[in-house]
Amino acid sequence: MRAPVHGASVRSQLLWPLLWVWVLGLAAAVLGAYWLARNSANSAFDRGLQDEATALAAKVTWSDRGPLLDLSRQTMELLTWDGEDRNGFVMVDADGNALAGDATVPIPPASVRRSSFAQPLLFDASFDGEPVRGVVFSVTSPMLDRAVAVVVVETTRRRTELMRDIQLSIVLPALGLGLVSLLLINWGIRRGLQALKDVAQEVSRRDAQDWRPLSLTQVPKEAVPLIERINTLLVDMEQSSLLQRRFVADAAHQLRTPVAGIRVLSQALSQELAVALPPAGQAAPEWQALLVQLGHSTDHLSRLIGQLLSLARSETALSVDAEQETLDLVPLVRESAEPMVLRSLREGRSIVLEAPDQPVFARAHALWLGEVVVNLLDNALRYGGEHIAVRIAASPGGEAPSRWRMTGQV
């Protein structure tokens, strides 16, 4: 049997778009963190480099021997020593010749040096195989027609670490907040759909004849039209079931009269034709076997109609009150067996009810139990012997009402 084809669950239809939004938001947060960390770190360190270059340019003095960089030993050590980064500076002339500082420090092209008179300019280079960030600031002599450029460089270790720290400080909280939000959304969806699951469980626990409308108390507002439509279907099903039971009862009731007429007519016909029976020793005419068969068919049809009426009455009773109750079995069995006793007397047989004087209680439904007794005695009369005994007895000990029982002997 093929599984029923259905669409995706409401939960997945809600979660998947939110999950994509969450993923895109996380990607945007990562890119934003990278851009913010990169710009912030570069801006801070670049400003520091520019300040150092400006400070060094202010220390340039001019003499007859040429430009000099007036720095103390302690100042030079501070400029070139760093525990994490590798720093360096150099002062070069217009031709790029080192005049002071570290001659191995990379210097920018001449075009960049010529453009750095107004303000310090930044550039990227490589220093001993390691990427560095540098700044160049050119100054001219107030009396001599000469110019020098001050170059300060530092490696990118610290700014890379700062960028990583800024990125983690943004991405990790965003990731944690996103996960918490996703869990809360999932919980909210499950909580919202729980009312529909409760309705499904209530329907699964109901009896097949329970047509009561479903409660709308805890149902979400969006699902109210669906539940109302289900309640309408339940009312329609109840009416349809009621009409079917009424039809069966009416049809069976209407059929009883013509069936009884057929039985009376067949009996009258048998009596009228009995005068024409052949003398003893001759073969019985063919109509005699037909009348016997007609009588059997009429009895069978009458029993079927009676069972239809019993079924209609029992279903009506169960639809009104299907609860069991504690009953005394003796009067119930006696009342149900009375019509079958009269039938057995007409057929020259006997039905005997054996029951104790004290009440015998059991939990049962009166109408259904009566139908069971009638069906058992009907089968006994059709297929049993001449003497039929129905015995009602309590279980040994009689400690609980649920242990009372009824047994029949044929």
Side-chain angles (χ1 to χ4, degrees):
M1 183 176 180
R2 296 180 58 186
V5 179
H6 55 78
S9 65
V10 176
R11 180 186 173 193
S12 62
Q13 293 184 40
L14 292 175
L15 276 181
W16 275 110
L18 293 175
L19 182 61
W20 278 110
V21 171
W22 180 78
V23 171
L24 293 177
L26 181 61
V30 171
L31 293 177
Y34 173 78
W35 178 84
L36 178 63
R38 182 173 179 273
N39 287 348
S40 299
N42 286 334
S43 176
F45 282 92
D46 290 346
R47 189 178 297 111
L49 283 176
Q50 290 174 337
D51 292 341
E52 290 181 7
T54 302
L56 287 177
K59 295 294 184 179
V60 176
T61 60
W62 303 91
S63 65
D64 298 338
R65 293 179 300 174
L68 298 175
L69 192 58
D70 187 14
L71 293 177
S72 64
R73 184 178 182 87
Q74 291 80 5
T75 303
M76 295 183 62
E77 291 178 354
L78 289 175
L79 291 173
T80 57
W81 179 87
D82 194 317
E84 297 180 1
D85 261 340
R86 182 181 179 185
N87 298 346
F89 76 95
V90 66
M91 184 177 68
V92 297
D93 57 15
D95 297 328
N97 300 316
L99 302 178
D102 188 358
T104 62
V105 170
I107 59 176
S111 59
V112 177
R113 298 198 302 269
R114 286 193 297 268
S115 302
S116 62
F117 286 97
Q119 61 180 1
L121 296 181
L122 297 167
F123 67 93
D124 295 314
S126 178
F127 190 18
D128 292 338
E130 187 174 0
V132 294
R133 182 78 162 170
V135 63
V136 57
F137 189 23
S138 300
V139 294
T140 59
S141 170
M143 294 178 296
L144 302 176
D145 188 16
R146 297 187 61 181
V148 294
V150 177
V151 179
V152 180
V153 298
E154 68 176 2
T155 57
T156 58
R157 300 171 189 170
R158 286 194 303 172
R159 68 177 64 202
T160 302
E161 294 177 359
L162 179 61
M163 290 173 56
R164 183 173 61 251
D165 294 340
I166 296 176
Q167 291 171 3
L168 292 178
S169 64
I170 296 176
V171 172
L172 291 181
L175 180 61
L177 182 60
L179 289 176
V180 172
S181 302
L182 196 62
L183 292 176
L184 289 176
I185 291 173
N186 184 36
W187 174 80
I189 294 174
R190 292 173 63 91
R191 184 172 178 270
L193 296 177
Q194 185 61 41
L196 298 180
K197 294 182 180 179
D198 294 340
V199 172
Q201 292 177 359
E202 180 184 354
V203 173
S204 64
R205 289 193 300 264
R206 286 193 177 188
D207 186 75
Q209 301 297 328
D210 190 353
W211 306 105
R212 292 174 301 165
L214 300 173
S215 175
L216 298 174
T217 305
Q218 302 296 331
V219 175
K221 183 178 180 180
E222 292 77 7
V224 168
L226 173 63
I227 304 302
E228 289 179 343
R229 181 55 183 164
I230 293 176
N231 288 337
T232 303
L233 291 177
L234 289 175
V235 173
D236 294 341
M237 292 295 294
E238 183 179 14
Q239 294 296 326
S240 177
S241 178
L242 180 61
L243 290 176
Q244 289 180 1
R245 290 195 299 267
R246 186 177 299 171
F247 170 77
V248 172
D250 293 344
H253 182 74
Q254 295 296 328
L255 287 174
R256 294 182 67 180
T257 300
V259 170
I262 293 174
R263 179 186 297 165
V264 172
L265 291 176
S266 63
Q267 292 175 356
L269 180 62
S270 178
Q271 293 174 0
E272 292 290 337
L273 296 177
V275 182
L277 287 175
Q282 295 184 8
E286 296 180 357
W287 54 263
Q288 186 174 3
L290 294 176
L291 285 177
V292 173
Q293 184 65 32
L294 179 61
H296 291 328
S297 298
T298 305
D299 292 339
H300 181 64
L301 182 58
S302 179
R303 285 195 300 271
L304 290 178
I305 293 173
Q307 290 177 352
L308 285 176
L309 285 173
S310 299
L311 178 62
R313 288 197 301 269
S314 62
E315 288 185 348
T316 302
L318 288 176
S319 63
V320 176
D321 183 11
E323 296 294 333
Q324 296 182 351
E325 55 183 346
T326 303
L327 304 171
D328 183 5
L329 298 183
V330 178
L332 177 62
V333 174
R334 183 181 289 113
E335 180 182 358
S336 302
E338 185 176 353
M340 308 306 295
V341 172
L342 297 176
R343 173 183 164 187
S344 67
L345 292 177
R346 290 195 302 266
E347 297 178 0
R349 304 162 72 179
S350 65
I351 296 178
V352 179
L353 176 62
E354 300 178 4
D357 296 333
Q358 67 274 16
V360 179
F361 294 100
R363 288 189 58 81
H365 193 280
L367 184 59
W368 276 83
L369 185 57
E371 293 299 324
V372 170
V373 173
V374 171
N375 288 333
L376 287 175
L377 292 178
D378 180 69
N379 290 332
L381 288 174
R382 282 190 289 171
Y383 307 111
E386 296 294 329
H387 304 286
I388 301 169
V390 178
R391 179 178 297 116
I392 302 175
S395 299
E399 64 277 5
S402 60
R403 299 291 299 277
W404 297 103
R405 65 185 181 183
M406 181 186 73
T407 61
Q409 293 182 352
V410 179

